Amino acid sequence: MVRNLLLGLLGSTILLQGQDITKLPDWAAKAVRQAAGEKDPEDMDAWVLLDRTEIAYTGSGELRQRHYRVVKILSERGVWQGTYVLHGLGGKASKVKKLKGWNLRPDSALEKLDSDNVVTQNDTGDEEFSAGTTTGAVLDRMVKGSYVAFESLESIQSPLGPVAHTRPMESVPVRVWELDVAKKEGWFTNLQSVDVKMARRQFEPWISQVEPLGTTGLRVVNLPALPKGEGGHPHLSNLLPVVEVRFLDPVMPLARMWGSWDEVAKWTHGNYLGALSPSGLGDWQGKAPLESLQALWGWMGRSLVYKQVYLTPERGWIPEGAQEVGRKRYGDCKDLTAFFLAEAKGLGFQPVPVLARIIQGEIPAQTDPFPVFNHVISGLRLERSLGLAAEVDTPKGRFLLTDPTDPYTPLGYLGSGHQGRRVMVCLPEGAQWITIPDSAILPDRLSVDIAGEAQGTSLKATLTLRESGDYWGLRIAAHRGGIKGLR
C-alpha cells in the first residue's frame, strides 16, 4: 500500500513538472491531479477525466445548464475531442451564455478558445428549415498528450417546460461522471413548492454502482467506453443509460403537465383544437364515410408533401392550421395530421392526435412521463367499424389510426416503422396507450425485374422496381423531388 502511494505521488510530481496544469481552470486542474497516479486506459484515443453537468431550475420555466469537461488526449486520433458542440432550440428558448475552452499541450503551451473559433449556425437538414441552432467550438493545435477542457453555460426555456436528460456513456472511457440537480432561488422567487424528479433508466448492466451527489444528484466512476463494431443491437435510446430530470412547478402549466401522462395528452389535444378548421379544398363531401376518407387520403397523397419549416421553437410541437397547410401544400407530421384531422372532422368523425416514436427506438413502458415522442399520427374515434386493418379497440373506444406522412401506404394500414410500437392517443380527458397490432402493418416489399441483353462486358437492360409500403422510399422521393430526387 505504501509502495502504491509513493508511485502515485511520483506520477503526480512528474505530471506537474512536465505540464503546468495550474494554467487550467481550478476545476480542470483538480481532475487532472486526481487521475495523475492512474494508468491510462489501453487502446483508447482519449480519456474523459471529468464530465460534470449542473442543471438548475430558476423559476418561470427556465433551466440553467452548466457543463464542465476535461479530457486527456491519448492518440492522434483523439484530437477530435477538441471540438465541442451544443444543440439549442434557437430564438428566445435557448441561448449559450458562456463557452470557454483550454488546450494544455505537452510542452505546457496553452491555447484558449477564441471567439473566432465559435460558430453558431441553423440546425437544418435537406427537408427542413429550423430556428434551432448548433453552436460549435474548436481548440487549436490539439496533439497527443494535450489536456483539453471546456466549460459552458446555457439558458433553456423550452416550449415543453423544464425537463432535461443526459446520457453518461460515450465512445471513450469516463473516469468521473457527475450530475447535480438543484433549484436556484433568487430574491424574488420562491421555489419551495417545486418538486424535483430524477429517474435513472437502463443503468444495468452498464452501471452497477452509483454514488449520491448532493440532495438529488449522482456520481459514477470508471465508466467503460461504448463497445465498438457491434453490428446488430436495439436502438441506443433503448439500450444505454439515461437520466431524466423534471421540475414540477405548480405555478407553471408546462411544468405541471409532466406530473402525469393524462396531463400531457390534454395539452397535446388542446394544441390541435385551434388547427381543425377545414381547408375548403378538395371534393370528398357527400360520399359514404369510407369513400370520403379514401378520397381525402388520395388527394393528400397527390397534393401535399412533407417538409419541416420551424421559424420559432414552439413549432417543434405546435401544428399549423389546416387552412395554412392547404395553402402552402406542405407540412411536417403535425401539420399533415392536423390537415387530415380537420377534414375528417368536417366529414363527421371525432378526430384526436396520437403521439408516436419511430426510427429512434421504442417508447419504454415507464410510469413517469417524459418527452419521448418524435412523431404524431392521426386517430379517428369510430362509432362503428369501417372494416380497416388499422382499427384498434381500447377501453376508451375504437380508433382508426393513420400516418398522413406516409401517403403510399393505403388508408387503413400503417407502415412498418410502426410495427409493435406503443402510441399514446391524446383525448380531451387524458391518455390512452395502444400497442400497434401486427395486423395493422402493411409489409414493405421491393421486387426487382431486369430484362435486357449482355454483349461482352456491357449490359443494356430495363430495370423495373415495384415498391409496396415504404421499402426504399422510392415513390416518396419521386413525389418530393421528381425524377431528379429519385435518382
Side-chain angles (χ1 to χ4, degrees):
M1 180 176 178
V2 173
R3 181 175 179 273
N4 290 339
L5 177 61
L6 289 173
L7 287 174
L9 291 173
L10 179 62
S12 180
T13 302
I14 293 173
L15 175 69
L16 289 171
Q17 291 175 349
Q19 282 170 290
D20 185 3
I21 62 174
T22 62
K23 292 183 177 181
L24 294 171
D26 291 343
W27 60 267
K30 180 181 178 181
V32 173
R33 289 192 189 97
Q34 290 175 339
E38 300 180 17
K39 184 180 179 180
D40 294 342
E42 296 181 358
D43 301 322
M44 289 292 163
D45 297 328
W47 186 20
V48 180
L49 304 183
L50 173 68
D51 190 279
R52 177 182 171 87
T53 302
E54 298 174 355
I55 302 174
Y57 180 60
T58 64
S60 301
E62 184 200 38
L63 295 181
R64 289 291 177 106
Q65 184 162 305
R66 191 184 298 272
H67 189 211
Y68 301 91
R69 181 177 176 88
V70 57
V71 185
K72 183 178 181 180
I73 307 303
L74 303 181
S75 77
E76 295 300 334
R77 292 189 302 272
V79 297
W80 66 270
Q81 291 283 346
T83 299
Y84 188 78
V85 176
L86 295 169
H87 295 284
L89 296 171
K92 298 179 180 179
S94 178
K95 291 184 178 180
V96 177
K97 309 287 285 187
K98 180 167 63 176
L99 177 53
K100 296 181 178 180
W102 301 262
N103 169 21
L104 181 63
R105 291 164 51 86
D107 59 1
S108 280
L110 182 69
E111 298 288 336
K112 288 188 176 182
L113 191 63
D114 186 87
S115 60
D116 292 339
N117 295 57
V118 179
V119 177
T120 297
Q121 61 184 17
N122 285 334
D123 190 5
T124 60
D126 293 338
E127 295 166 355
E128 63 183 49
F129 182 84
S130 173
T133 59
T134 295
T135 299
V138 181
L139 283 167
D140 287 335
R141 302 178 66 206
M142 295 288 301
V143 295
K144 177 182 177 180
S146 284
Y147 288 99
V148 56
F150 287 102
E151 179 182 348
S152 63
L153 174 64
E154 297 175 88
S155 171
I156 303 169
Q157 192 100 32
S158 171
L160 282 182
V163 292
H165 77 281
T166 182
R167 295 186 179 275
M169 296 184 67
E170 48 185 288
S171 61
V172 295
V174 180
R175 183 180 180 275
V176 176
W177 183 89
E178 296 178 339
L179 173 64
D180 203 1
V181 179
K183 298 178 288 187
K184 185 177 180 181
E185 298 195 48
W187 287 355
F188 304 104
T189 57
N190 183 352
L191 304 180
Q192 292 182 357
S193 59
V194 174
D195 195 8
V196 182
K197 298 287 187 181
M198 185 167 66
R200 304 197 303 260
R201 306 199 187 281
Q202 299 158 187
F203 267 45
E204 295 287 350
W206 308 99
I207 302 172
S208 57
Q209 293 186 347
V210 178
E211 303 172 14
L213 183 67
T215 304
T216 53
L218 55 91
R219 183 175 190 265
V220 180
V221 298
N222 297 325
L223 275 167
L226 292 173
K228 295 182 179 179
E230 295 286 344
H233 54 74
H235 193 277
L236 295 182
S237 65
N238 294 125
L239 187 66
L240 298 181
V242 62
V243 183
E244 299 169 349
V245 180
R246 297 171 292 147
F247 296 91
L248 306 182
D249 188 343
V251 303
M252 293 291 299
L254 284 176
R256 289 200 310 269
M257 81 171 178
W258 294 110
S260 75
W261 285 119
D262 284 339
E263 293 304 315
V264 177
K266 293 176 186 177
W267 179 78
T268 303
H269 186 272
N271 289 336
Y272 283 78
L273 286 179
L276 300 187
S277 298
S279 66
L281 300 171
D283 181 21
W284 37 79
Q285 302 286 343
K287 300 179 176 64
L290 179 55
E291 292 179 11
S292 296
L293 288 179
Q294 289 172 332
L296 167 61
W297 192 256
W299 184 92
M300 289 182 64
R302 295 188 301 272
S303 306
L304 305 180
V305 296
Y306 179 93
K307 183 186 292 186
Q308 291 183 8
V309 178
Y310 297 166
L311 301 181
T312 63
E314 293 79 8
R315 278 286 290 124
W317 296 274
I318 309 299
E320 285 198 314
Q323 294 179 354
E324 184 66 7
V325 176
R327 183 185 70 82
K328 293 179 177 179
R329 299 299 173 99
Y330 66 76
D332 72 344
C333 61
K334 301 184 305 299
D335 308 327
L336 298 180
T337 290
F339 186 95
F340 181 78
L341 293 179
E343 300 304 324
K345 180 181 178 182
L347 295 173
F349 291 93
Q350 300 178 45
V352 289
V354 180
L355 294 178
R357 185 178 183 89
I358 57 172
I359 301 174
Q360 299 174 0
E362 302 177 8
I363 299 174
Q366 62 190 46
T367 56
D368 298 330
F370 200 76
V372 293
F373 308 103
N374 68 354
H375 192 49
V376 63
I377 61 177
S378 67
L380 301 181
R381 194 197 296 263
L382 300 177
E383 296 298 330
R384 59 183 63 85
S385 173
L386 297 176
L388 299 175
E391 296 179 17
V392 183
D393 283 318
T394 78
K396 296 184 178 180
R398 185 177 186 86
F399 294 91
L400 169 63
L401 304 179
T402 63
D403 187 344
T405 67
D406 189 5
Y408 293 106
T409 293
L411 179 75
Y413 286 94
L414 292 170
S416 59
H418 294 284
Q419 187 164 12
R421 297 299 180 94
R422 298 175 72 237
V423 299
M424 190 174 81
V425 180
C426 298
L427 301 168
E429 67 271 20
Q432 174 61 59
W433 287 93
I434 293 175
T435 298
I436 303 296
D438 289 345
S439 58
I441 302 301
L442 178 71
D444 290 336
R445 294 190 179 92
L446 184 72
S447 66
V448 181
D449 296 315
I450 187 168
E453 183 178 332
Q455 295 180 349
T457 59
S458 65
L459 170 67
K460 184 176 182 180
T462 299
L463 177 67
T464 304
L465 303 175
R466 292 182 178 88
E467 181 185 58
S468 64
D470 191 24
Y471 191 83
W472 276 0
L474 298 175
R475 291 172 296 171
I476 289 180
H479 182 53
R480 291 174 179 168
I483 192 65
K484 181 180 179 181
L486 181 60
R487 285 173 175 165

